[in-house]
Amino acid sequence: MSNVQVLPLLEPEAAVAPCCPPLTERPFSAEEAEVAARMFKALGDPVRLRLFSAVASHEGGEACVCDISDVGVSQPTVSHHLKKLKDAGLLTSERRGTWVYYRVEPSVLAAMGQLLSTAAGP
Amino acid sequence: MSNVQVLPLLEPEAAVAPCCPPLTERPFSAEEAEVAARMFKALGDPVRLRLFSAVASHEGGEACVCDISDVGVSQPTVSHHLKKLKDAGLLTSERRGTWVYYRVEPSVLAAMGQLLSTAAGP
DNA sequence: CGTCTATGTTGACACACATCGAACCAAGCG
DNA sequence: CGCTTGGTTCGATGTGTGTCAACATAGACG
């Protein structure tokens, strides 16, 4: 049983900087690939991508679950995917009264954008 | 008037737009999410990410399998992942004599970069 | 307190996937 | 032609994942 749950807490500063250089700069090391693949994987599901996009594009940068849960799957599945996005560090959640609001972790888009930035920019 | 270049500034589905608008622009439709998730998923594996990065960063933009197959898995597994990347449209392959060369599909980085581009740059 | 709505959690199940060894093609070389 | 090296395909196997129904929790409200 290799079900070790060692989740290294993502410190805010650690989450921002050390993700990775652009994919085109040099071959990724195993560690870099592990970290970056986790983000890509989290967005590698259509339902999660729609949820993420719905939150990211929602006004104010945050969205209540009730506003984004219309993606064609059951409510527990939505909750499951939101949890995955949260575990991957892409979203944060906060309960305010009856509803739970999700919000995009700002550093994430920057990190992934840097990953895909070509060395030869415009 | 045959060399008119239409700039796809306001028409996301026209011309260049290879798959989707930025994630932050509006909620993705099911079809957009399906297409985009396929690319993210292809890069959502550490081994594939290392292979892709190795090809993308290799000089000349292409690499022989023999040059990038040192990622800690067996050679059939490497071939399997390269095939997946090829099926996802991220890589192309060409046999030249003894060796097989892989090369990054150029439009891919642009497409994914556009996906993650925030309306307001950093 | 009891009840209703909004989310999260659990258990179960089917399917997909990553991985390997072995067998199989392709090109060069004696 | 047989041999060697490079690469892909095949079959099997264990693990991961998406999904749902059922249950659990957290506030709001009467």
Side-chain angles (χ1 to χ4, degrees):
Chain A
M1 308 314 176
S2 58
N3 197 2
V4 187
Q5 293 254 356
V6 182
L7 278 184
L9 293 177
L10 292 179
E11 304 168 10
E13 293 133 13
V16 181
C19 169
C20 310
L23 276 168
T24 58
E25 191 173 299
R26 56 172 172 76
F28 268 30
S29 70
E31 291 78 16
E32 288 169 337
E34 202 79 38
V35 173
R38 209 171 304 156
M39 295 193 297
F40 282 114
K41 194 175 192 176
L43 295 179
D45 180 273
V47 174
R48 280 198 294 271
L49 203 50
R50 290 185 71 185
L51 290 171
F52 185 84
S53 170
V55 174
S57 64
H58 206 265
E59 73 178 318
E62 68 176 13
C64 159
V65 176
C66 55
D67 285 330
I68 61 175
S69 55
D70 187 20
V71 289
V73 294
S74 69
Q75 179 267 332
T77 303
V78 169
S79 187
H80 166 74
H81 284 303
L82 286 173
K83 179 178 169 54
K84 281 218 158 189
L85 287 168
K86 207 169 77 171
D87 288 346
L90 276 69
L91 293 181
T92 59
S93 70
E94 179 194 2
R95 170 162 229 135
R96 287 207 297 274
T98 305
W99 295 280
V100 176
Y101 292 87
Y102 280 80
R103 143 181 319 269
V104 174
E105 185 63 35
S107 60
V108 168
L109 286 176
M112 300 200 70
Q114 178 185 340
L115 267 175
L116 293 166
S117 68
T118 59
Chain B
M1 287 294 194
S2 59
N3 65 351
V4 176
Q5 296 260 342
V6 177
L7 291 180
L9 279 177
L10 299 176
E11 301 174 272
E13 298 180 354
V16 172
C19 86
C20 311
L23 276 167
T24 57
E25 191 173 299
R26 55 171 172 77
F28 268 30
S29 71
E31 292 77 16
E32 290 169 335
E34 202 78 39
V35 173
R38 210 171 302 154
M39 295 194 297
F40 282 115
K41 194 175 191 175
L43 294 180
D45 180 275
V47 173
R48 282 199 291 272
L49 203 51
R50 290 185 71 183
L51 291 172
F52 184 84
S53 171
V55 173
S57 64
H58 206 263
E59 72 179 317
E62 68 176 12
C64 160
V65 176
C66 55
D67 285 330
I68 61 176
S69 54
D70 188 21
V71 287
V73 294
S74 71
Q75 203 216 2
T77 303
V78 168
S79 187
H80 165 75
H81 284 303
L82 286 174
K83 179 177 169 55
K84 282 223 155 187
L85 287 169
K86 205 168 78 172
D87 288 346
L90 277 67
L91 293 180
T92 60
S93 71
E94 180 195 0
R95 169 164 229 132
R96 286 207 298 275
T98 305
W99 295 280
V100 176
Y101 292 87
Y102 279 81
R103 146 181 317 268
V104 174
E105 186 64 36
S107 60
V108 168
L109 286 177
M112 300 200 70
Q114 179 185 341
L115 267 175
L116 293 166
S117 69
T118 58

